[in-house]
């Protein structure tokens, strides 16, 4: 009987004319996490200058919608693509986008970001670039998952398709200046990310906690996981119904139930010892922020709409933002052959992002709102600058064990 080859390929020597040999292009997480980290600093710096009057916004639509789009589909989109392209290679043992194709994907992503600042540029051009980005990732992900008969991971194809659809509708509505509907789609898109967070979080967070604390993993909760997934889908639809029919009680009810089930799962995973390990408490705190943020927004939709945007940032920053940062750190360490240990700078980065969300969502009620916005932006910028200082060299260098990836 033939033996199975378990030895991984070794990285080939760097050649500038061969993108596949560039360390930063060997696997999706490298280039896309690096771009996302840089963009997190640059985009929020631009947003802070706009808020403070240092930059004049000249487009026909409010800068708020540029900010929402770039955080949801620029920054978070790059992270999701980098994570899924990396994870799919592990799931299927098939090569995902790398080398020249990954360089092309990054070029399209960057062109989409710059398109907002080209004078007289049409949002339809940005839409074409965004579609090109999503479809490259979606086609490659679909191919490797279907070829490998990885049925358990087909859910990610569906979730990615939902995000692509949300992005398309967002830009079409913004182009036609239907701003009220754009706001609804941006909130629906945030909930659409809960599809991914619900599935990925349900798989990895309890595993990471058990492994980090050197304890046996608690029994899986497949029924609860499925309920959370389907509730997220229902909520995306509920936002569409709410935008057209103004049925706030239906949306707030489904959002409340979704947040409640997330809270139940968070309590099931809880272990006080996890707060001694930054790579664990950052993930757990971000998941709790999502759970509580969903409950707050369920209340806001029906009873306190004036606080809706503020409390959405608890989900978006302390929830999604912190989870993204924690996952970027963990994936980078693991896939560059390093131990899963972080330094003081990364711990401070986690604290900065958590604080940024709390300032924007809660402290804004107790201080000058403009000062709260700027303070939140500064905390976010410092957090991702600290991430780049620690992790940019890792993302651009070969694995320390000499393997591919």
């Amino acid at each position: 009987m033939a033996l199975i080859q378990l030895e991984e390929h070794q990285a080939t020597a760097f050649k500038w004319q061969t993108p596949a040999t560039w360390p930063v292009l060997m696997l999706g997480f490298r280039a896309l996490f690096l771009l996302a980290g840089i963009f997190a600093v640059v985009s929020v710096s631009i947003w802070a200058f706009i808020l403070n009057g240092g930059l004049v916004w000249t487009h026909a639509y409010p800068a708020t919608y540029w900010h929402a789009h770039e955080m949801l589909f620029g920054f978070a989109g790059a992270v999701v693509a980098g994570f899924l392209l990396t994870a799919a290679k592990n799931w299927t043992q098939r090569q995902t986008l790398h080398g020249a194709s990954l360089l092309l994907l990054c070029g399209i992503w960057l062109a989409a970001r710059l398109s907002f600042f080209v004078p007289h540029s049409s949002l339809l051009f940005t839409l074409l670039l965004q579609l090109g980005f999503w479809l490259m990732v979606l086609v490659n992900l679909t191919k490797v998952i279907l070829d490998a008969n990885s049925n358990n991971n087909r859910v990610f194809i569906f979730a990615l398709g939902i995000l692509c659809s949300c992005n398309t509708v967002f830009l079409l509505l913004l182009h036609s200046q239907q701003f009220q509907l754009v706001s609804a789609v941006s909130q629906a898109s945030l909930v659409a990310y809960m599809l991914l967070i619900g599935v990925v979080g349900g798989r990895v967070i309890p595993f990471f906690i058990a492994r980090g604390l050197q304890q046996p993993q608690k029994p899986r909760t497949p029924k609860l996981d499925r309920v959370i997934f389907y509730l997220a889908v229902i909520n995306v639809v509920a936002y569409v119904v709410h935008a057209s029919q103004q049925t706030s009680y239906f949306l707030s009810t489904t959002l409340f139930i979704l947040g409640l089930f997330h809270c139940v799962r968070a309590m099931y995973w809880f272990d006080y010892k996890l707060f001694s390990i930054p790579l664990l408490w950052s993930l757990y705190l971000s998941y709790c922020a999502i759970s509580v943020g969903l409950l707050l927004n369920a209340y806001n939709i029906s009873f306190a709409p004036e606080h809706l945007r503020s409390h959405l940032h608890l989900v978006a920053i302390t929830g999604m933002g912190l989870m993204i940062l924690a996952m970027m750190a963990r994936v980078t360490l693991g896939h560059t052959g390093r131990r899963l240990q972080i330094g003081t700078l990364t711990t401070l980065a986690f604290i900065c992002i958590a604080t940024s969300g709390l300032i924007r969502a809660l402290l804004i009620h107790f201080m000058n709102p403009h000062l709260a916005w700027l303070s939140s932006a500064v905390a976010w910028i410092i957090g991702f600058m600290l991430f780049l200082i620690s992790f940019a060299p890792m993302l651009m260098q070969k694995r320390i064990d000499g393997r591919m990836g």
Side-chain angles (χ1 to χ4, degrees):
M1 183 175 67
L3 294 176
I4 298 174
Q5 179 57 261
L6 295 178
E7 184 178 353
E8 291 192 27
H9 294 295
Q10 300 299 302
T12 54
F14 174 81
K15 297 179 182 178
W16 70 268
Q17 72 274 23
T18 310
T21 65
W22 301 2
V24 76
L25 295 178
M26 285 184 176
L27 203 52
F29 80 95
R30 289 179 170 273
L32 289 165
F33 284 7
L34 182 61
L35 287 173
I38 294 170
F39 188 65
V41 173
V42 172
S43 62
V44 175
S45 297
I46 293 172
W47 178 234
F49 275 111
I50 292 172
L51 287 176
N52 212 34
L55 287 175
V56 178
W57 185 255
T58 58
H59 290 291
Y61 51 88
T64 305
Y65 297 116
W66 166 80
H67 173 63
H69 181 274
E70 293 302 81
M71 289 294 98
L72 287 168
F73 303 114
F75 165 69
V79 175
V80 165
F83 175 81
L84 289 180
L85 290 173
T86 303
K89 186 175 185 292
N90 283 351
W91 299 330
T92 65
Q93 304 304 309
R94 284 165 166 76
Q95 185 63 61
T96 52
L97 294 175
H98 69 293
S101 58
L102 181 57
L103 182 61
L104 175 61
L105 180 71
C106 293
I108 293 172
W109 179 90
L110 183 59
R113 311 284 69 78
L114 295 174
S115 68
F116 283 98
F117 298 96
V118 176
H120 312 298
S121 175
S122 171
L123 283 170
L124 296 179
F125 179 60
T126 303
L127 174 58
L128 289 176
L129 291 169
Q130 283 295 110
L131 276 175
F133 171 80
W134 287 116
L135 291 177
M136 273 192 73
V137 178
L138 191 56
V139 168
N140 186 247
L141 188 70
T142 301
K143 183 178 185 304
V144 297
I145 288 177
L146 296 184
D147 285 352
N149 293 317
S150 183
N151 295 333
N152 192 41
N153 294 307
R154 291 186 179 185
V155 63
F156 294 105
I157 300 172
F158 172 77
L160 205 61
I162 292 290
L163 291 176
C164 178
S165 300
C166 287
N167 195 175
T168 301
V169 174
F170 184 106
L171 287 172
L172 287 173
L173 291 172
L174 190 58
H175 176 72
S176 60
Q177 298 192 4
Q178 299 184 53
F179 298 138
Q180 186 174 354
L181 291 177
V182 172
S183 295
V185 172
S186 67
Q187 294 170 32
S189 301
L190 189 60
V191 174
Y193 276 101
M194 300 305 107
L195 294 171
L196 283 169
I197 289 173
V199 176
V200 174
R203 292 185 184 185
V204 305
I205 293 177
F207 170 74
F208 290 160
I209 291 173
R211 186 176 179 183
L213 299 180
Q214 298 181 343
Q215 297 175 348
Q217 185 175 342
K218 291 183 178 181
R220 297 286 300 274
T221 55
K223 291 183 179 179
L224 178 59
D225 297 345
R226 282 196 295 271
V227 168
I228 287 174
F229 176 80
Y230 290 128
L231 279 171
V233 176
I234 290 170
N235 269 277
V236 174
V237 176
Y239 268 105
V240 176
V241 174
H242 173 65
S244 58
Q245 304 295 327
Q246 295 300 307
T247 52
S248 62
Y249 289 110
F250 173 64
L251 175 58
S252 60
T253 300
T254 57
L255 204 58
F256 177 82
I257 296 172
L258 176 62
L260 193 62
F261 276 106
H262 275 297
C263 286
V264 169
R265 192 157 69 166
M267 288 188 289
Y268 178 68
W269 293 339
F270 178 75
D271 189 310
Y272 72 92
K273 294 178 182 177
L274 64 84
F275 290 107
S276 64
I277 303 174
L279 278 175
L280 295 183
W281 68 249
S282 54
L283 280 173
Y284 188 78
L285 177 61
S286 66
Y287 191 82
C288 289
I290 288 170
S291 307
V292 174
L294 291 173
L295 293 177
L296 280 174
N297 284 291
Y299 174 82
N300 289 337
I301 287 170
S302 291
F303 304 108
E306 67 276 11
H307 297 317
L308 180 60
R309 287 197 176 188
S310 294
H311 293 162
L312 276 171
H313 284 81
L314 185 63
V315 178
I317 302 176
T318 305
M320 268 183 59
L322 181 57
M323 183 168 290
I324 281 173
L325 189 62
M327 289 299 293
M328 287 168 70
R330 191 178 189 97
V331 168
T332 300
L333 291 171
H335 285 276
T336 58
R338 291 172 169 82
R339 296 179 64 185
L340 296 176
Q341 293 182 348
I342 61 170
T344 303
L345 289 183
T346 307
T347 302
L348 288 174
F350 292 160
I351 293 171
C352 283
I353 301 306
T355 303
S356 173
L358 293 174
I359 292 172
R360 181 63 182 85
L362 304 178
L363 198 58
I364 194 172
H365 302 309
F366 304 99
M367 61 187 293
N368 181 289
H370 186 74
L371 181 59
W373 294 336
L374 293 179
S375 300
S376 175
V378 169
W380 172 279
I381 291 165
I382 292 173
F384 275 95
M385 286 181 68
L386 292 174
F387 167 79
L388 289 170
I389 290 170
S390 298
F391 288 90
M394 301 181 200
L395 293 168
M396 294 187 291
Q397 296 168 0
K398 292 181 181 180
R399 287 178 61 115
I400 60 174
D401 54 14
R403 295 177 178 177
M404 287 288 291

